[in-house]
Amino acid sequence: MFGCLSLLSLVSDMSNIKLDEVVCRDSEESELSSWNEKVTSDEKVNRVYEILNGIHKQGQRSLGSITPDVENGTLTDRLFKGNKAAIADSFNLPFDRNEKHAYVFGRRSGPLISGTAYCISSCCMILLNKVVLSSYNFNAGISLMFYQNLISCVVVAILGLCRAVSVEKLNWKLIRVWLPVNIIFVGMLVSGMYSLKYINIAMVTILKNMTNILTAIGEYYVFRKHQNQKVWTAMFMMIISAVSGGITDLSFDAKGYTWQILNCILTAAYSLTLRLVMDKAKQATKLGSLNNVSMVLLNNLLSLPFAIFLIFVLNEWEYVINADVIELPVFWVVATASGLLGLAISFTSMWFLHQTGPTTYSLVGSLNKVPISIAGLMLFKVPLSVPNMFSILFGLFAGIFFARAKMS
């Protein structure tokens, strides 16, 4: 996408042509829908070629000299553009017909590949955290969070230094604006860690639906946003599934449920606070914008001092240095993998959201809870009753129904 925009802007600067209409990926749904809903994807691509051919004929300039600049784009640009092959024939660039077909295939398979990557990374992240906290009986959730966030910071910093991703430079004004968000973010991660330790994955997934209810209530009072009747019906179904699931849970743990309720409150607060401070955060940057990679770095970097403070205040450091499990190499492999997967979720979710849209992203996120719940029940041999199984299935259905209701 970004590669296409930069190419077209350079053409405009070189040939002084006024572009009345630019067709690019971000606007492809609105532009293509105005042509003909029954037109095939190949015909749509050919029409893009025709528009770009018209630009070329008016400018009478070659793009050969600016192609190297596009090649040096960031990793984010390269993940999403795929536009060079699309304009190859129009401007006589050194690309053959096969590359154009590869571009068409990439457009068709992009949502499937990105969606699969997002689902796999999300499932594996939850399962590995459960392994670390429960199977290894590691009772230091804050230390695990610190280690995972440190890994994310190091990886993003390295990618930024290599110019693989674009990272906004931090300043004190931005940090001050972001601090309230980050405090809630840390609480959200810590409570999530401890709830996952004491509750099985399926029930965690069902109870997380309560976050949607709290967020909807918050949106009503803070942003005066009204929900339709289907959404409220879905949320009522979520309440029924959560209550019935807790009553029929054979491995019920009051401490775990308390942590999960706190996690739902903090997750909803994080979502609402993020919306409130986002505009101020953008104003605190030099370019007036804050990309997703910068937000990942900002959240994880600012969480480190808070994590260190909590580790010492709660004497968790003493447990960590005396724990036998930290001497196991496999434990560090699993803990490191979970940290890398946490970062992978950030990137794959951005990729998938770009390839599809908020509607599809939300629906797939709800559907993704099904394999996570099944895997959690099977891998960790959770004691299960028939009523509890129906409660879990009902909760999963309520989550999917909620996503569909939000679409309408």
Side-chain angles (χ1 to χ4, degrees), residues 121 125 148-159 165 292-293 295-297 300 336-350:
S121 59
M125 170 71 175
Q148 291 176 344
N149 291 0
L150 180 62
I151 291 174
S152 297
C153 290
V154 171
V155 173
V156 173
I158 292 173
L159 292 175
V165 296
N292 290 308
V293 178
M295 282 194 290
V296 171
L297 178 62
N300 286 282
T336 304
S338 66
L340 293 174
L341 282 169
L343 185 60
I345 291 174
S346 300
F347 285 110
T348 54
S349 61
M350 287 188 288

PDB file of all heavy atoms in Angstrom, residues 121 125 148-159 165 292-293 295-297 300 336-350:
ATOM      1  N   SER A 121      -0.416 -17.780  16.055  1.00  0.00           N
ATOM      2  CA  SER A 121       0.379 -17.071  17.067  1.00  0.00           C
ATOM      3  C   SER A 121      -0.439 -16.803  18.323  1.00  0.00           C
ATOM      4  O   SER A 121       0.070 -16.918  19.451  1.00  0.00           O
ATOM      5  CB  SER A 121       0.926 -15.758  16.494  1.00  0.00           C
ATOM      6  OG  SER A 121      -0.125 -14.913  16.056  1.00  0.00           O
ATOM      7  N   MET A 125       0.499 -18.589  21.890  1.00  0.00           N
ATOM      8  CA  MET A 125       0.864 -17.690  22.984  1.00  0.00           C
ATOM      9  C   MET A 125       0.134 -18.069  24.268  1.00  0.00           C
ATOM     10  O   MET A 125       0.745 -18.200  25.345  1.00  0.00           O
ATOM     11  CB  MET A 125       0.516 -16.247  22.581  1.00  0.00           C
ATOM     12  CG  MET A 125       0.612 -15.227  23.702  1.00  0.00           C
ATOM     13  SD  MET A 125       2.308 -14.911  24.177  1.00  0.00           S
ATOM     14  CE  MET A 125       2.067 -13.602  25.380  1.00  0.00           C
ATOM     15  N   GLN A 148       9.020 -11.266  28.976  1.00  0.00           N
ATOM     16  CA  GLN A 148       8.381 -11.227  27.661  1.00  0.00           C
ATOM     17  C   GLN A 148       8.408  -9.823  27.064  1.00  0.00           C
ATOM     18  O   GLN A 148       8.684  -9.648  25.878  1.00  0.00           O
ATOM     19  CB  GLN A 148       6.933 -11.718  27.773  1.00  0.00           C
ATOM     20  CG  GLN A 148       6.818 -13.201  28.084  1.00  0.00           C
ATOM     21  CD  GLN A 148       5.371 -13.636  28.273  1.00  0.00           C
ATOM     22  OE1 GLN A 148       4.491 -12.809  28.463  1.00  0.00           O
ATOM     23  NE2 GLN A 148       5.125 -14.939  28.224  1.00  0.00           N
ATOM     24  N   ASN A 149       8.117  -8.817  27.879  1.00  0.00           N
ATOM     25  CA  ASN A 149       8.127  -7.433  27.384  1.00  0.00           C
ATOM     26  C   ASN A 149       9.527  -6.971  27.034  1.00  0.00           C
ATOM     27  O   ASN A 149       9.722  -6.183  26.101  1.00  0.00           O
ATOM     28  CB  ASN A 149       7.510  -6.497  28.420  1.00  0.00           C
ATOM     29  CG  ASN A 149       6.023  -6.718  28.590  1.00  0.00           C
ATOM     30  OD1 ASN A 149       5.437  -7.575  27.926  1.00  0.00           O
ATOM     31  ND2 ASN A 149       5.402  -5.963  29.473  1.00  0.00           N
ATOM     32  N   LEU A 150      10.524  -7.459  27.788  1.00  0.00           N
ATOM     33  CA  LEU A 150      11.917  -7.125  27.484  1.00  0.00           C
ATOM     34  C   LEU A 150      12.312  -7.686  26.122  1.00  0.00           C
ATOM     35  O   LEU A 150      12.983  -7.006  25.323  1.00  0.00           O
ATOM     36  CB  LEU A 150      12.829  -7.678  28.580  1.00  0.00           C
ATOM     37  CG  LEU A 150      14.332  -7.411  28.405  1.00  0.00           C
ATOM     38  CD1 LEU A 150      14.617  -5.910  28.424  1.00  0.00           C
ATOM     39  CD2 LEU A 150      15.135  -8.127  29.495  1.00  0.00           C
ATOM     40  N   ILE A 151      11.897  -8.916  25.850  1.00  0.00           N
ATOM     41  CA  ILE A 151      12.170  -9.525  24.549  1.00  0.00           C
ATOM     42  C   ILE A 151      11.543  -8.702  23.425  1.00  0.00           C
ATOM     43  O   ILE A 151      12.177  -8.427  22.399  1.00  0.00           O
ATOM     44  CB  ILE A 151      11.641 -10.971  24.505  1.00  0.00           C
ATOM     45  CG1 ILE A 151      12.468 -11.868  25.421  1.00  0.00           C
ATOM     46  CG2 ILE A 151      11.663 -11.525  23.074  1.00  0.00           C
ATOM     47  CD1 ILE A 151      11.931 -13.279  25.545  1.00  0.00           C
ATOM     48  N   SER A 152      10.308  -8.269  23.621  1.00  0.00           N
ATOM     49  CA  SER A 152       9.619  -7.464  22.610  1.00  0.00           C
ATOM     50  C   SER A 152      10.354  -6.161  22.344  1.00  0.00           C
ATOM     51  O   SER A 152      10.519  -5.751  21.187  1.00  0.00           O
ATOM     52  CB  SER A 152       8.182  -7.165  23.063  1.00  0.00           C
ATOM     53  OG  SER A 152       7.430  -8.350  23.183  1.00  0.00           O
ATOM     54  N   CYS A 153      10.812  -5.507  23.413  1.00  0.00           N
ATOM     55  CA  CYS A 153      11.549  -4.245  23.263  1.00  0.00           C
ATOM     56  C   CYS A 153      12.843  -4.442  22.478  1.00  0.00           C
ATOM     57  O   CYS A 153      13.174  -3.648  21.598  1.00  0.00           O
ATOM     58  CB  CYS A 153      11.866  -3.647  24.632  1.00  0.00           C
ATOM     59  SG  CYS A 153      10.439  -3.021  25.519  1.00  0.00           S
ATOM     60  N   VAL A 154      13.575  -5.506  22.811  1.00  0.00           N
ATOM     61  CA  VAL A 154      14.856  -5.773  22.148  1.00  0.00           C
ATOM     62  C   VAL A 154      14.643  -6.049  20.667  1.00  0.00           C
ATOM     63  O   VAL A 154      15.354  -5.503  19.803  1.00  0.00           O
ATOM     64  CB  VAL A 154      15.580  -6.960  22.826  1.00  0.00           C
ATOM     65  CG1 VAL A 154      16.804  -7.371  22.011  1.00  0.00           C
ATOM     66  CG2 VAL A 154      15.988  -6.586  24.245  1.00  0.00           C
ATOM     67  N   VAL A 155      13.654  -6.875  20.346  1.00  0.00           N
ATOM     68  CA  VAL A 155      13.396  -7.232  18.948  1.00  0.00           C
ATOM     69  C   VAL A 155      12.972  -6.010  18.144  1.00  0.00           C
ATOM     70  O   VAL A 155      13.481  -5.761  17.040  1.00  0.00           O
ATOM     71  CB  VAL A 155      12.326  -8.336  18.856  1.00  0.00           C
ATOM     72  CG1 VAL A 155      11.935  -8.584  17.400  1.00  0.00           C
ATOM     73  CG2 VAL A 155      12.831  -9.630  19.484  1.00  0.00           C
ATOM     74  N   VAL A 156      12.042  -5.215  18.689  1.00  0.00           N
ATOM     75  CA  VAL A 156      11.581  -4.020  17.972  1.00  0.00           C
ATOM     76  C   VAL A 156      12.717  -3.012  17.809  1.00  0.00           C
ATOM     77  O   VAL A 156      12.859  -2.381  16.749  1.00  0.00           O
ATOM     78  CB  VAL A 156      10.390  -3.374  18.703  1.00  0.00           C
ATOM     79  CG1 VAL A 156      10.020  -2.037  18.062  1.00  0.00           C
ATOM     80  CG2 VAL A 156       9.188  -4.295  18.677  1.00  0.00           C
ATOM     81  N   ALA A 157      13.537  -2.859  18.849  1.00  0.00           N
ATOM     82  CA  ALA A 157      14.673  -1.933  18.768  1.00  0.00           C
ATOM     83  C   ALA A 157      15.655  -2.363  17.679  1.00  0.00           C
ATOM     84  O   ALA A 157      16.154  -1.535  16.915  1.00  0.00           O
ATOM     85  CB  ALA A 157      15.373  -1.848  20.120  1.00  0.00           C
ATOM     86  N   ILE A 158      15.930  -3.662  17.595  1.00  0.00           N
ATOM     87  CA  ILE A 158      16.842  -4.175  16.562  1.00  0.00           C
ATOM     88  C   ILE A 158      16.255  -3.938  15.169  1.00  0.00           C
ATOM     89  O   ILE A 158      16.957  -3.488  14.252  1.00  0.00           O
ATOM     90  CB  ILE A 158      17.124  -5.669  16.784  1.00  0.00           C
ATOM     91  CG1 ILE A 158      17.952  -5.875  18.058  1.00  0.00           C
ATOM     92  CG2 ILE A 158      17.869  -6.266  15.580  1.00  0.00           C
ATOM     93  CD1 ILE A 158      18.145  -7.330  18.447  1.00  0.00           C
ATOM     94  N   LEU A 159      14.966  -4.228  15.005  1.00  0.00           N
ATOM     95  CA  LEU A 159      14.311  -4.001  13.713  1.00  0.00           C
ATOM     96  C   LEU A 159      14.316  -2.518  13.349  1.00  0.00           C
ATOM     97  O   LEU A 159      14.480  -2.155  12.182  1.00  0.00           O
ATOM     98  CB  LEU A 159      12.873  -4.525  13.751  1.00  0.00           C
ATOM     99  CG  LEU A 159      12.691  -6.032  13.861  1.00  0.00           C
ATOM    100  CD1 LEU A 159      11.216  -6.398  14.013  1.00  0.00           C
ATOM    101  CD2 LEU A 159      13.280  -6.743  12.643  1.00  0.00           C
ATOM    102  N   VAL A 165      11.577  -1.593  10.379  1.00  0.00           N
ATOM    103  CA  VAL A 165      10.291  -1.013  10.760  1.00  0.00           C
ATOM    104  C   VAL A 165      10.509   0.454  11.111  1.00  0.00           C
ATOM    105  O   VAL A 165      11.624   0.880  11.423  1.00  0.00           O
ATOM    106  CB  VAL A 165       9.653  -1.748  11.965  1.00  0.00           C
ATOM    107  CG1 VAL A 165       9.318  -3.177  11.611  1.00  0.00           C
ATOM    108  CG2 VAL A 165      10.571  -1.693  13.175  1.00  0.00           C
ATOM    109  N   ASN A 292       1.444   1.500  14.788  1.00  0.00           N
ATOM    110  CA  ASN A 292       1.244   0.363  15.693  1.00  0.00           C
ATOM    111  C   ASN A 292       2.547  -0.173  16.269  1.00  0.00           C
ATOM    112  O   ASN A 292       2.588  -0.587  17.422  1.00  0.00           O
ATOM    113  CB  ASN A 292       0.506  -0.761  14.954  1.00  0.00           C
ATOM    114  CG  ASN A 292      -0.935  -0.407  14.652  1.00  0.00           C
ATOM    115  OD1 ASN A 292      -1.669  -0.004  15.538  1.00  0.00           O
ATOM    116  ND2 ASN A 292      -1.340  -0.533  13.406  1.00  0.00           N
ATOM    117  N   VAL A 293       3.605  -0.160  15.472  1.00  0.00           N
ATOM    118  CA  VAL A 293       4.899  -0.644  15.962  1.00  0.00           C
ATOM    119  C   VAL A 293       5.399   0.239  17.097  1.00  0.00           C
ATOM    120  O   VAL A 293       5.919  -0.244  18.104  1.00  0.00           O
ATOM    121  CB  VAL A 293       5.927  -0.693  14.812  1.00  0.00           C
ATOM    122  CG1 VAL A 293       7.289  -1.143  15.328  1.00  0.00           C
ATOM    123  CG2 VAL A 293       5.453  -1.622  13.702  1.00  0.00           C
ATOM    124  N   MET A 295       3.557   1.969  19.121  1.00  0.00           N
ATOM    125  CA  MET A 295       2.724   1.705  20.295  1.00  0.00           C
ATOM    126  C   MET A 295       3.160   0.432  21.006  1.00  0.00           C
ATOM    127  O   MET A 295       3.146   0.364  22.241  1.00  0.00           O
ATOM    128  CB  MET A 295       1.254   1.605  19.886  1.00  0.00           C
ATOM    129  CG  MET A 295       0.590   2.946  19.640  1.00  0.00           C
ATOM    130  SD  MET A 295      -1.206   2.836  19.553  1.00  0.00           S
ATOM    131  CE  MET A 295      -1.416   1.982  17.999  1.00  0.00           C
ATOM    132  N   VAL A 296       3.544  -0.586  20.238  1.00  0.00           N
ATOM    133  CA  VAL A 296       4.050  -1.830  20.833  1.00  0.00           C
ATOM    134  C   VAL A 296       5.303  -1.548  21.654  1.00  0.00           C
ATOM    135  O   VAL A 296       5.433  -1.991  22.803  1.00  0.00           O
ATOM    136  CB  VAL A 296       4.346  -2.869  19.732  1.00  0.00           C
ATOM    137  CG1 VAL A 296       5.089  -4.079  20.318  1.00  0.00           C
ATOM    138  CG2 VAL A 296       3.061  -3.329  19.058  1.00  0.00           C
ATOM    139  N   LEU A 297       6.240  -0.788  21.070  1.00  0.00           N
ATOM    140  CA  LEU A 297       7.478  -0.457  21.780  1.00  0.00           C
ATOM    141  C   LEU A 297       7.187   0.401  23.007  1.00  0.00           C
ATOM    142  O   LEU A 297       7.753   0.179  24.087  1.00  0.00           O
ATOM    143  CB  LEU A 297       8.434   0.275  20.833  1.00  0.00           C
ATOM    144  CG  LEU A 297       9.768   0.722  21.446  1.00  0.00           C
ATOM    145  CD1 LEU A 297      10.561  -0.486  21.929  1.00  0.00           C
ATOM    146  CD2 LEU A 297      10.586   1.523  20.436  1.00  0.00           C
ATOM    147  N   ASN A 300       5.510  -1.727  25.869  1.00  0.00           N
ATOM    148  CA  ASN A 300       6.412  -2.701  26.476  1.00  0.00           C
ATOM    149  C   ASN A 300       7.579  -2.037  27.193  1.00  0.00           C
ATOM    150  O   ASN A 300       8.005  -2.492  28.261  1.00  0.00           O
ATOM    151  CB  ASN A 300       6.936  -3.656  25.394  1.00  0.00           C
ATOM    152  CG  ASN A 300       5.894  -4.650  24.940  1.00  0.00           C
ATOM    153  OD1 ASN A 300       5.615  -5.634  25.604  1.00  0.00           O
ATOM    154  ND2 ASN A 300       5.287  -4.397  23.792  1.00  0.00           N
ATOM    155  N   THR A 336      10.882 -17.895  26.366  1.00  0.00           N
ATOM    156  CA  THR A 336      11.334 -17.018  25.280  1.00  0.00           C
ATOM    157  C   THR A 336      10.392 -17.102  24.090  1.00  0.00           C
ATOM    158  O   THR A 336      10.056 -16.082  23.471  1.00  0.00           O
ATOM    159  CB  THR A 336      12.758 -17.402  24.844  1.00  0.00           C
ATOM    160  OG1 THR A 336      13.634 -17.348  25.975  1.00  0.00           O
ATOM    161  CG2 THR A 336      13.266 -16.451  23.762  1.00  0.00           C
ATOM    162  N   ALA A 337       9.949 -18.317  23.776  1.00  0.00           N
ATOM    163  CA  ALA A 337       9.021 -18.496  22.658  1.00  0.00           C
ATOM    164  C   ALA A 337       7.711 -17.758  22.908  1.00  0.00           C
ATOM    165  O   ALA A 337       7.136 -17.150  21.995  1.00  0.00           O
ATOM    166  CB  ALA A 337       8.753 -19.983  22.433  1.00  0.00           C
ATOM    167  N   SER A 338       7.235 -17.788  24.161  1.00  0.00           N
ATOM    168  CA  SER A 338       5.992 -17.084  24.482  1.00  0.00           C
ATOM    169  C   SER A 338       6.168 -15.573  24.325  1.00  0.00           C
ATOM    170  O   SER A 338       5.247 -14.877  23.890  1.00  0.00           O
ATOM    171  CB  SER A 338       5.541 -17.423  25.906  1.00  0.00           C
ATOM    172  OG  SER A 338       6.459 -16.935  26.872  1.00  0.00           O
ATOM    173  N   GLY A 339       7.365 -15.069  24.671  1.00  0.00           N
ATOM    174  CA  GLY A 339       7.633 -13.639  24.473  1.00  0.00           C
ATOM    175  C   GLY A 339       7.665 -13.258  23.008  1.00  0.00           C
ATOM    176  O   GLY A 339       7.116 -12.226  22.610  1.00  0.00           O
ATOM    177  N   LEU A 340       8.311 -14.084  22.190  1.00  0.00           N
ATOM    178  CA  LEU A 340       8.357 -13.823  20.748  1.00  0.00           C
ATOM    179  C   LEU A 340       6.972 -13.923  20.112  1.00  0.00           C
ATOM    180  O   LEU A 340       6.634 -13.156  19.203  1.00  0.00           O
ATOM    181  CB  LEU A 340       9.322 -14.810  20.076  1.00  0.00           C
ATOM    182  CG  LEU A 340      10.802 -14.651  20.445  1.00  0.00           C
ATOM    183  CD1 LEU A 340      11.621 -15.788  19.838  1.00  0.00           C
ATOM    184  CD2 LEU A 340      11.342 -13.304  19.968  1.00  0.00           C
ATOM    185  N   LEU A 341       6.170 -14.864  20.608  1.00  0.00           N
ATOM    186  CA  LEU A 341       4.816 -15.005  20.078  1.00  0.00           C
ATOM    187  C   LEU A 341       3.947 -13.808  20.453  1.00  0.00           C
ATOM    188  O   LEU A 341       3.066 -13.406  19.688  1.00  0.00           O
ATOM    189  CB  LEU A 341       4.178 -16.291  20.593  1.00  0.00           C
ATOM    190  CG  LEU A 341       4.631 -17.576  19.910  1.00  0.00           C
ATOM    191  CD1 LEU A 341       4.137 -18.790  20.671  1.00  0.00           C
ATOM    192  CD2 LEU A 341       4.140 -17.622  18.468  1.00  0.00           C
ATOM    193  N   GLY A 342       4.204 -13.239  21.644  1.00  0.00           N
ATOM    194  CA  GLY A 342       3.474 -12.035  22.026  1.00  0.00           C
ATOM    195  C   GLY A 342       3.719 -10.904  21.050  1.00  0.00           C
ATOM    196  O   GLY A 342       2.799 -10.170  20.669  1.00  0.00           O
ATOM    197  N   LEU A 343       4.973 -10.771  20.619  1.00  0.00           N
ATOM    198  CA  LEU A 343       5.307  -9.762  19.612  1.00  0.00           C
ATOM    199  C   LEU A 343       4.736 -10.142  18.257  1.00  0.00           C
ATOM    200  O   LEU A 343       4.270  -9.275  17.494  1.00  0.00           O
ATOM    201  CB  LEU A 343       6.831  -9.616  19.524  1.00  0.00           C
ATOM    202  CG  LEU A 343       7.359  -8.521  18.593  1.00  0.00           C
ATOM    203  CD1 LEU A 343       6.856  -7.144  19.030  1.00  0.00           C
ATOM    204  CD2 LEU A 343       8.883  -8.540  18.561  1.00  0.00           C
ATOM    205  N   ALA A 344       4.754 -11.447  17.963  1.00  0.00           N
ATOM    206  CA  ALA A 344       4.207 -11.920  16.682  1.00  0.00           C
ATOM    207  C   ALA A 344       2.723 -11.605  16.571  1.00  0.00           C
ATOM    208  O   ALA A 344       2.220 -11.278  15.492  1.00  0.00           O
ATOM    209  CB  ALA A 344       4.444 -13.423  16.531  1.00  0.00           C
ATOM    210  N   ILE A 345       1.998 -11.698  17.688  1.00  0.00           N
ATOM    211  CA  ILE A 345       0.574 -11.372  17.674  1.00  0.00           C
ATOM    212  C   ILE A 345       0.366  -9.919  17.257  1.00  0.00           C
ATOM    213  O   ILE A 345      -0.542  -9.596  16.481  1.00  0.00           O
ATOM    214  CB  ILE A 345      -0.055 -11.624  19.054  1.00  0.00           C
ATOM    215  CG1 ILE A 345      -0.098 -13.126  19.344  1.00  0.00           C
ATOM    216  CG2 ILE A 345      -1.471 -11.051  19.130  1.00  0.00           C
ATOM    217  CD1 ILE A 345      -0.573 -13.463  20.742  1.00  0.00           C
ATOM    218  N   SER A 346       1.216  -9.027  17.757  1.00  0.00           N
ATOM    219  CA  SER A 346       1.101  -7.603  17.415  1.00  0.00           C
ATOM    220  C   SER A 346       1.260  -7.396  15.916  1.00  0.00           C
ATOM    221  O   SER A 346       0.469  -6.687  15.281  1.00  0.00           O
ATOM    222  CB  SER A 346       2.153  -6.789  18.179  1.00  0.00           C
ATOM    223  OG  SER A 346       1.990  -6.929  19.575  1.00  0.00           O
ATOM    224  N   PHE A 347       2.284  -8.030  15.333  1.00  0.00           N
ATOM    225  CA  PHE A 347       2.553  -7.839  13.909  1.00  0.00           C
ATOM    226  C   PHE A 347       1.528  -8.558  13.030  1.00  0.00           C
ATOM    227  O   PHE A 347       1.071  -7.999  12.027  1.00  0.00           O
ATOM    228  CB  PHE A 347       3.961  -8.316  13.565  1.00  0.00           C
ATOM    229  CG  PHE A 347       5.042  -7.373  14.018  1.00  0.00           C
ATOM    230  CD1 PHE A 347       5.899  -7.710  15.048  1.00  0.00           C
ATOM    231  CD2 PHE A 347       5.194  -6.132  13.417  1.00  0.00           C
ATOM    232  CE1 PHE A 347       6.884  -6.833  15.472  1.00  0.00           C
ATOM    233  CE2 PHE A 347       6.181  -5.255  13.825  1.00  0.00           C
ATOM    234  CZ  PHE A 347       7.027  -5.602  14.858  1.00  0.00           C
ATOM    235  N   THR A 348       1.183  -9.802  13.394  1.00  0.00           N
ATOM    236  CA  THR A 348       0.231 -10.541  12.560  1.00  0.00           C
ATOM    237  C   THR A 348      -1.167  -9.938  12.628  1.00  0.00           C
ATOM    238  O   THR A 348      -1.909  -9.963  11.637  1.00  0.00           O
ATOM    239  CB  THR A 348       0.167 -12.023  12.976  1.00  0.00           C
ATOM    240  OG1 THR A 348      -0.125 -12.121  14.381  1.00  0.00           O
ATOM    241  CG2 THR A 348       1.478 -12.727  12.683  1.00  0.00           C
ATOM    242  N   SER A 349      -1.543  -9.378  13.785  1.00  0.00           N
ATOM    243  CA  SER A 349      -2.853  -8.730  13.887  1.00  0.00           C
ATOM    244  C   SER A 349      -2.898  -7.480  13.014  1.00  0.00           C
ATOM    245  O   SER A 349      -3.908  -7.209  12.351  1.00  0.00           O
ATOM    246  CB  SER A 349      -3.166  -8.382  15.342  1.00  0.00           C
ATOM    247  OG  SER A 349      -2.214  -7.483  15.871  1.00  0.00           O
ATOM    248  N   MET A 350      -1.789  -6.707  12.986  1.00  0.00           N
ATOM    249  CA  MET A 350      -1.719  -5.537  12.102  1.00  0.00           C
ATOM    250  C   MET A 350      -1.797  -5.972  10.639  1.00  0.00           C
ATOM    251  O   MET A 350      -2.499  -5.347   9.827  1.00  0.00           O
ATOM    252  CB  MET A 350      -0.418  -4.765  12.346  1.00  0.00           C
ATOM    253  CG  MET A 350      -0.374  -3.983  13.628  1.00  0.00           C
ATOM    254  SD  MET A 350       1.097  -2.936  13.718  1.00  0.00           S
ATOM    255  CE  MET A 350       2.375  -4.153  13.973  1.00  0.00           C
TER     256      MET A 350
END
